[in-house]
Amino acid sequence: MAMLIQSSIAITSTILLLFFIISTSNPAAATNIHNVAKYVSQSTRQQFLGPQNTARAFLRVPPLKWDTKLEKYAQLYANKRRYDCALQHSNGPFGENIFWGSGRGWTPVQAASAWIDERKWYRYGSNSCARGQICGHYTQIVWRKTRKIGCARVDCFGGKGVFMICNYDPPGNYYGERPY
């Protein structure tokens, strides 16, 4: 069983890496001013969305669709966190995953991958996380009823790091319900 889990993690990591390479290898798309959103570029959207939809596809859960309302919500909250870079939830009406990394080089793929990596701690049989571990970021990503996503990334002031957030609608992680 452990070998199967390690193999699936290796396969998922390879798929995520390939997706990242493909999604960032088209400089023409990155330089076309008409493809740039008001808040988050198309490339950044794909960096957030791709790994999460790969995790959902692995479980045969329908893909998430990017939602500009959720994107705006995420960007407004990320802008508030820009001053202190505190790893605090917005406590809003949506499902939410947040990420903080020291320094400036953190990417949306790395944030999404960190959340997805919690899969190793989720126990489907008991619908819980392994003792002493967290897995709620992962379960929100693969929550079957969730259909929309919007995310944002900011460099915090004063070199305090990078803050990233994804919001999900409808939200997941309801007590007593399985994600998929």
Side-chain angles (χ1 to χ4, degrees):
M1 181 67 169
M3 189 62 124
L4 178 62
I5 292 171
Q6 288 176 337
S7 294
S8 66
I9 290 171
I11 291 168
T12 302
S13 298
T14 302
I15 291 169
L16 292 174
L17 179 60
L18 287 172
F19 176 81
F20 175 73
I21 291 168
I22 291 167
S23 68
T24 59
S25 65
N26 185 353
T31 58
N32 185 341
I33 192 81
H34 300 292
N35 289 335
V36 178
K38 183 176 179 183
Y39 293 101
V40 177
S41 73
Q42 187 65 31
S43 172
T44 301
R45 286 180 183 183
Q46 283 306 115
Q47 289 182 48
F48 277 118
L49 195 55
Q52 296 184 66
N53 276 337
T54 299
R56 291 172 68 88
F58 184 77
L59 298 168
R60 294 184 170 89
V61 175
L64 297 168
K65 303 287 184 194
W66 193 266
D67 183 83
T68 56
K69 180 177 91 171
L70 292 173
E71 175 188 337
K72 289 175 187 176
Y73 181 88
Q75 189 66 60
L76 287 171
Y77 187 69
N79 288 343
K80 289 180 184 177
R81 292 276 64 94
R82 172 174 259 158
Y83 295 94
D84 60 9
C85 225
L87 199 57
Q88 296 175 352
H89 284 281
S90 70
N91 297 317
F94 308 112
E96 186 170 274
N97 284 345
I98 55 177
F99 174 92
W100 173 83
S102 65
R104 298 181 62 94
W106 295 94
T107 67
V109 169
Q110 290 171 308
S113 296
W115 298 326
I116 293 164
D117 193 47
E118 292 177 7
R119 177 177 76 178
K120 64 187 170 199
W121 306 120
Y122 178 64
R123 306 294 181 251
Y124 188 83
S126 62
N127 192 31
S128 62
C129 303
R131 186 175 189 87
Q133 301 298 327
I134 59 171
C135 62
H137 301 102
Y138 169 71
T139 55
Q140 173 58 79
I141 288 169
V142 298
W143 199 265
R144 180 175 295 280
K145 294 178 184 173
T146 299
R147 295 289 186 251
K148 298 183 285 185
I149 184 174
C151 307
R153 178 198 181 282
V154 294
D155 289 314
C156 298
F157 294 134
K160 294 178 183 167
V162 173
F163 181 87
M164 289 184 254
I165 178 173
C166 285
N167 290 104
Y168 305 86
D169 192 37
N173 288 344
Y174 288 103
Y175 184 76
E177 290 186 33
R178 292 187 190 280
Y180 50 89

